[in-house]
Amino acid sequence: MTSADAPPLLVVEGLSKSYPSAADGPPVDVLSGVTLSLDRGESVAVVGPSGCGKSTLLNILGTLDTATAGTVRFLGQDLASMTQKQRARLRAQSIGFVFQEHHLLPQCSAMENVLIPTLASGIAQQGQADRAAELLDRVGLNDRKGHRPDQLSGGQRQRVALIRALINRPALLLVDEPTGALDGKTADQVIKLLIEMNQAEGTAMLMVTHATHLAHRLDRTLRLDRGVLLDEGAA
Ligand code: ADP
Ligand code: MG
């Protein structure tokens, strides 16, 4: 089968999410019929104002949260039809996350942090340390492998978090405002690196970002607007 015939990596249909209102009012609809199809290796920027539901969407796609309605098919499997254990395994093996905060373990070195997902993946350990070292080299951290997070700059910590997300060769990378805690110049460097590494690894990527000046480097941009994803076209 050629890649043109391959089914999409991710197919989302009619995805909705409501939260109970704080008072006695009606539920609050955050997502109301999101449709999305993502091919293997494709990179997509997701934009929209604060509070519009971007993180909610990424969390549902990453199996960290569940939808109120609709379907998510990832790697040909309907997430809702899987057991919690199956979803956890899928997440560990096939999905990488980069969040606004790096969430590195403070007592572990950069190298140890990168290797943590390999413990949960069930994938053979052999070669993982070599791969970790090679990836850290590629993002300019060759002399920082033994450093703890508090011995690294904000940009360096996010680079470690990026390599940790890629270590298991996930089919999908979910990135949620990765530079919200960084200054402008460092932020741009991290975004460029994310795109570069993502292309080198052939991973599909959904990235929530306010760096619209860099979004053109991704395959397309989608805007989350009143609960649905609108195509802003090829960038
Ligand atoms: P974004 O990432 O685009 O800033 P979020 O997905 O974090 O937006 O939030 C979307 C909306 O959903 C916000 O109004 C937020 O307050 C609400 N929300 C998020 N999580 C919860 C929750 N667990 N319970 C109730 N409301 C929530
Ligand atoms: Mg958010």
Side-chain angles (χ1 to χ4, degrees), residues 98-112:
V98 180
F99 300 101
Q100 179 168 340
E101 297 299 328
H102 54 80
H103 296 297
L104 298 175
L105 294 181
Q107 73 277 30
C108 292
S109 68
M111 184 71 176
E112 288 164 347

Side-chain angles (χ1 to χ4, degrees), residues 206-220:
L206 268 185
M207 177 164 70
V208 172
T209 181
H210 294 296
T212 45
H213 60 292
L214 293 174
H216 66 277
R217 294 179 176 228
L218 283 78
D219 294 326
R220 56 192 168 111

Side-chain angles (χ1 to χ4, degrees), residues 1 26 35 43 52 60 63 68 73 79 100 108 115 123 128 161 163:
M1 195 159 69
T35 297
S43 64
C52 75
I60 294 170
T63 79
T68 312
R73 292 185 71 81
L79 292 187
Q100 179 168 340
C108 292
L115 286 170
I123 295 169
Q128 298 283 38
I163 298 309

Side-chain angles (χ1 to χ4, degrees), residues 78-89:
D78 181 353
L79 292 187
S81 72
M82 301 168 76
T83 65
Q84 205 161 342
K85 199 171 166 189
Q86 287 170 328
R87 273 196 298 271
R89 191 164 184 82

